[in-house]
Amino acid sequence: MTSAKLLRCRALAVLSAATLLLTGCSNGGEGSPDAGPTAGAPSAVATSTTPEATAPPREAREGWKVFTDPLRLLSFELPADWVVQPIEPGPGVYAADSVHYAVRTPAGTTAAELHTGIQTEEPPCPASDLTPYYVLGSEPLSISAPPDAVDVIEPRLVMRIIQGFRFFSSYGITDQVGGADGVACALTNTVLANNSLGRVSFGDLEVLVPKAPANTGPQNVTFGTISEAQTYFDSPEFAVTRQVIASLQFAPQAG
């Protein structure tokens, strides 16, 4: 072998060794601290499926905060010093994945309860049980009825009383009128959500019915006159609860 050929062979050998060394450092060694993700590795942003990724942004007014359910399907505002706590639902039928919360003031008073997945059937209403009811307040909500909903009105926050041995009161959201000609057996405080929440209630009662004296208790708010009830619902004390319920929003329908 000539000297020139020998020199070329040595140069190629050195070059090959350097290439192997560089290859081993880039594939087998640790990358630099500021290096990006390895090609082909899943990106945390691209593959994230957390509910927060599809939740609409929402900011609370000054001095208030926003509560959102774990699945990011609904939200509402409440004063910063109020609390939202999980509760066990009372009698009724609910979907397996339903959620139930109480909204409480700093004093521990329950201002409203939130229930989803309501499947309780409406009780029968014989003509003999019809009794007058009165709407003392009504305002539209920033939610809309599902496109395929029938026999409903646009969701509203309502304050109503129904006549028994006294005037029984309730407040909450509804998408149904109370009854024809101002009489009813019961007043339903529920709204059909436009997502997987199903039927939702947000207020003090899911259903308002007049009760016999023996069946009433501290949880039943009653008044002797319509004027007394109107004064209560117009009071500054109730105004905050009214704002909390009216702030309810549903996430958009998926798909």
Side-chain angles (χ1 to χ4, degrees), residues 3-220:
S3 298
K5 289 184 178 180
L6 181 60
L7 289 174
R8 283 198 299 270
C9 290
R10 289 176 178 176
L12 289 173
V14 171
L15 180 61
S16 298
T19 301
L20 291 173
L21 178 62
L22 289 173
T23 302
C25 290
S26 62
N27 291 341
E30 294 182 358
S32 60
D34 58 348
T38 305
S43 168
V45 175
T47 61
S48 175
T49 58
T50 58
E52 291 86 345
T54 58
R58 180 173 186 180
E59 294 184 2
R61 71 196 80 176
E62 184 177 357
W64 288 52
K65 59 187 176 183
V66 174
F67 172 82
T68 305
D69 75 295
L71 295 179
R72 305 292 184 185
L73 295 177
L74 60 78
S75 65
F76 59 86
E77 298 178 44
L78 68 158
D81 56 351
W82 288 30
V83 297
V84 180
Q85 298 175 328
I87 58 173
E88 289 294 327
V93 181
Y94 302 92
D97 56 351
S98 59
V99 295
H100 309 273
Y101 293 99
V103 180
R104 297 194 168 104
T105 69
T109 302
T110 300
E113 290 187 3
L114 173 72
H115 301 279
T116 71
I118 300 170
Q119 299 176 346
T120 308
E121 296 183 1
E122 294 186 17
C125 180
S128 59
D129 289 347
L130 290 171
T131 186
Y133 74 91
Y134 305 88
V135 179
L136 303 185
S138 176
E139 60 184 88
L141 300 172
S142 57
I143 57 179
S144 58
D148 56 349
V150 295
D151 299 329
V152 301
I153 59 175
E154 285 299 315
R156 306 186 69 82
L157 163 61
V158 293
M159 286 67 70
R160 299 180 287 191
I161 57 176
I162 192 167
Q163 190 169 352
F165 75 97
R166 285 173 62 87
F167 290 100
F168 290 74
S169 73
S170 76
Y171 54 88
I173 60 175
T174 189
D175 58 10
Q176 302 173 54
V177 297
D181 302 322
V183 293
C185 294
L187 301 174
T188 302
N189 295 327
T190 64
V191 161
L192 182 62
N194 60 353
N195 49 38
S196 59
L197 289 168
R199 189 155 284 279
V200 179
S201 71
F202 192 27
D204 63 341
L205 295 172
E206 291 180 24
V207 181
L208 172 65
V209 296
K211 295 184 177 182
N215 294 330
T216 60
Q219 72 278 9
N220 301 120

